[in-house]
Amino acid sequence: MDHREEEKQSPDQTILSTGSPDRVEEPTQGQEVDSGDEWDTDLETDIGTHQKQCWSGAELYLQACQSTGCVPVSSFLRHLGGADLDLSHYGVGPLGAKALAVVLQNDLTITDLELEDNALQAEGTRHLMEMLQINMSIQSLNLSDNQLHLKGADFVSKIISGNFYIRSIKVSGNGFDDSAAEYLADALEGNYIIKELDLSHNMIGDTGGQHLGHMLATNTGLEVLNLSWNHLCMGSAAALSDGLKANSTLKQLLLSRNGFGHIEAKSLGQALKLNSTLVLLDLSRNLIDNEAAALLCQGLATNEALRVLKLSHNPLTNIGALSLLKTVTQNTNSAVEEMDISTVFVCETFVELLDKARQRRPGLAVRHSVMSSVTRNISALRVFQKFLKERNESIVDFFQALDEEGTMKVPTAAFRKAVKEANAPLDQRQLEWLIKKFDENCKFSIIYSQFAELS
């Protein structure tokens, strides 16, 4: 559905003299020129400052649209005066961005500007950059999916360098490559203003990841960095880990759908030994197998800050899942309260260990998958206890009846036979699992005195 609607414009209103969209106006004598930009601003108009102040935002916007030749976005007119302006998916385009910039440069109310999927391209981003050199209210900017590419990344880096009010920038899905990442990393080195940067769904690889890693080592403001769905692995992953070791502000690092495997997990594990601020690490949809999980555990064994670890859609098995859970539970200072391994089918031992861990840490949430057979096996002890209770027996009573010589031990074969003869409601798998639980060391005998507390 096309959200753009033409608005009627008054012929009596003076048209903004912004000239041709591609025209760059020469600065007048005495006018300062910012030598750091390759463009001079063309957002100025022939309308006097006093006259513009007398106009409403809607009037100024309609005039700017008429001058630039773009179709007004009715949603902008409807939401004037609010703090949040969401124009995502409206097809604003470069000229529409110019019209918006004319109005927003002096706006004092809008704090959140959403312009996702509007085909702004680099030209539209340039207009926004010029506007943001003046605007002092916008704190969150979403330019995702706007075909920005390398030239657009240059303008975004200038936004980062030239604005002291924006806290969050989202530029997901803009075809940013390693060169684009270098622009942004350079702008962020030493920056303490930007708190959130979303670079997901781009094409950042080895050298781009290295630039971003070096940036992390010096940046003192960034708290959320989203690098999901890029091409990070090997050297770039090592650089990011090195940056994480020195960083003291980052709280969330999202690395889903990259190339993190053994080598990358080892460097991350080393980083987690030293980092004390990261609270969320997303490694879902990578190449983390059991060996890589063990390397990651080297950091988890001592880390006291991480709260959320996401590892779904990795080639992990129950072995890796057990290693992760044991590490987290054995680290008495671990802060982990949520772990997502939802695509891993775990065994009975994992479920029992998790139940015990939750008794000590009720807030621990671990997403995992369990086959019905595992659930059935785990219920075997409870079913057997219920069966004995109905017979007014305890587990110890049952074993003592089989222990004629009072050795406090019963052969597993004798226990198996007695359970079957008693017609206990256990299937063969449940019975074998119960025997394995009672005879953990596989000595073919059960020392039943240890089950007194179960009676």
Side-chain angles (χ1 to χ4, degrees):
M1 177 178 180
D2 190 354
H3 298 281
R4 295 174 295 175
E5 301 176 6
E6 290 196 16
E7 299 285 347
K8 292 183 179 180
Q9 303 174 35
S10 170
D12 297 330
Q13 292 176 321
T14 306
I15 298 177
L16 295 182
S17 300
T18 53
S20 170
D22 296 326
R23 171 185 163 203
V24 179
E25 298 182 1
E26 296 293 332
T28 59
Q29 185 175 4
Q31 179 180 355
E32 292 186 4
V33 179
D34 184 357
S35 59
D37 294 332
E38 58 179 294
W39 298 90
D40 293 324
T41 179
D42 58 359
L43 296 181
E44 296 299 326
T45 70
D46 290 338
I47 300 172
T49 302
H50 176 71
Q51 185 173 352
K52 286 192 291 185
Q53 290 175 344
C54 294
W55 280 2
S56 68
E59 290 172 325
L60 186 58
Y61 176 62
L62 291 174
Q63 287 297 314
C65 287
Q66 183 174 337
S67 175
T68 58
C70 68
V71 178
V73 178
S74 60
S75 183
F76 175 72
L77 299 173
R78 290 195 299 269
H79 293 90
L80 275 174
D84 299 331
L85 179 59
D86 189 350
L87 299 182
S88 298
H89 319 296
Y90 275 89
V92 171
L95 295 180
K98 182 177 182 178
L100 286 173
V102 170
V103 182
L104 294 179
Q105 59 185 334
N106 294 310
D107 183 87
L108 298 176
T109 58
I110 295 172
T111 59
D112 184 1
L113 180 58
E114 299 278 334
L115 289 171
E116 182 178 353
D117 184 27
N118 274 293
L120 298 180
Q121 304 176 38
E123 179 69 8
T125 309
R126 177 175 70 87
H127 297 309
L128 295 174
M129 177 201 71
E130 295 169 352
M131 175 269 292
L132 289 167
Q133 291 175 347
I134 302 172
N135 182 281
M136 295 186 294
S137 65
I138 295 175
Q139 299 178 21
S140 176
L141 178 65
N142 187 352
L143 299 177
S144 297
D145 299 310
N146 272 295
Q147 306 161 29
L148 302 188
H149 302 289
L150 181 58
K151 194 171 184 180
D154 187 20
F155 289 130
V156 172
S157 70
K158 288 180 170 63
I159 291 175
I160 293 173
S161 301
N163 183 284
F164 298 96
Y165 304 96
I166 292 180
R167 300 291 186 268
S168 171
I169 294 183
K170 297 179 181 179
V171 282
S172 173
N174 276 299
F176 288 171
D177 58 9
D178 289 344
S179 297
E182 183 176 1
Y183 279 144
L184 299 170
D186 288 346
L188 284 165
E189 281 194 16
N191 181 286
Y192 61 91
I193 303 297
I194 301 295
K195 302 300 180 185
E196 177 181 8
L197 177 63
D198 184 353
L199 285 170
S200 62
H201 292 268
N202 280 295
M203 301 181 295
I204 301 171
D206 188 44
T207 57
Q210 291 186 40
H211 286 298
L212 290 169
H214 297 154
M215 175 274 294
L216 277 180
T218 58
N219 181 275
T220 56
L222 203 60
E223 296 180 357
V224 180
L225 178 59
N226 189 347
L227 293 172
S228 300
W229 293 75
N230 278 284
H231 309 307
L232 302 171
C233 60
M234 302 293 287
S236 57
L240 285 170
S241 296
D242 287 342
L244 197 59
K245 292 177 183 177
N247 185 276
S248 60
T249 59
L250 195 68
K251 296 180 179 179
Q252 298 184 23
L253 180 58
L254 292 83
L255 297 169
S256 175
R257 200 60 182 243
N258 280 283
F260 281 71
H262 296 180
I263 298 174
E264 297 80 8
K266 183 177 181 179
S267 60
L268 263 181
Q270 296 301 313
L272 289 176
K273 288 182 179 180
L274 299 176
N275 183 275
S276 60
T277 58
L278 195 70
V279 297
L280 184 152
L281 177 60
D282 185 357
L283 288 169
S284 56
R285 300 181 182 275
N286 274 279
L287 304 172
I288 306 295
D289 59 11
N290 296 337
E291 182 180 344
L295 294 170
L296 198 61
C297 285
Q298 294 178 6
L300 294 174
T302 58
N303 185 279
E304 300 179 9
L306 195 69
R307 298 179 187 173
V308 180
L309 178 62
K310 298 186 177 183
L311 287 167
S312 67
H313 296 89
N314 276 286
L316 273 173
T317 69
N318 174 69
I319 296 173
L322 263 175
S323 178
L324 288 163
L325 183 59
K326 286 179 179 179
T327 301
V328 168
T329 54
Q330 288 172 2
N331 177 4
T332 56
N333 294 321
S334 173
V336 173
E337 56 190 29
E338 180 182 340
M339 185 162 61
D340 185 357
I341 49 172
S342 54
T343 51
V344 180
F345 283 91
V346 300
C347 68
E348 295 88 350
T349 304
F350 181 95
V351 176
E352 290 183 324
L353 179 60
L354 180 58
D355 287 341
K356 291 180 180 178
R358 283 173 174 163
Q359 292 175 10
R360 300 190 305 272
R361 296 166 57 181
L364 181 62
V366 180
R367 297 183 59 193
H368 60 279
S369 295
V370 184
M371 297 183 68
S372 58
S373 59
V374 172
T375 304
R376 187 169 59 251
N377 289 345
I378 293 173
S379 67
L381 178 59
R382 185 173 64 256
V383 170
F384 188 52
Q385 287 177 305
K386 181 180 179 182
F387 167 73
L388 293 176
K389 185 177 182 180
E390 291 173 350
R391 291 166 36 128
N392 293 319
E393 280 185 276
S394 67
I395 291 180
V396 174
D397 292 336
F398 189 85
F399 278 108
Q400 285 178 338
L402 303 176
D403 183 17
E404 296 177 355
E405 297 181 2
T407 62
M408 301 302 291
K409 294 192 298 185
V410 172
T412 55
F415 174 72
R416 182 184 293 107
K417 179 180 179 182
V419 171
K420 289 182 178 180
E421 290 178 348
N423 291 321
L426 298 172
D427 61 31
Q428 188 63 35
R429 286 186 177 181
Q430 287 177 306
L431 177 56
E432 295 305 322
W433 180 84
L434 196 59
I435 290 173
K436 184 179 179 180
K437 182 176 178 62
F438 288 162
D439 181 20
E440 293 181 348
N441 297 320
C442 298
K443 294 183 177 180
F444 303 102
S445 63
I446 302 171
I447 302 175
Y448 62 86
S449 58
Q450 60 182 310
F451 304 125
E453 70 274 7
L454 298 178
S455 301

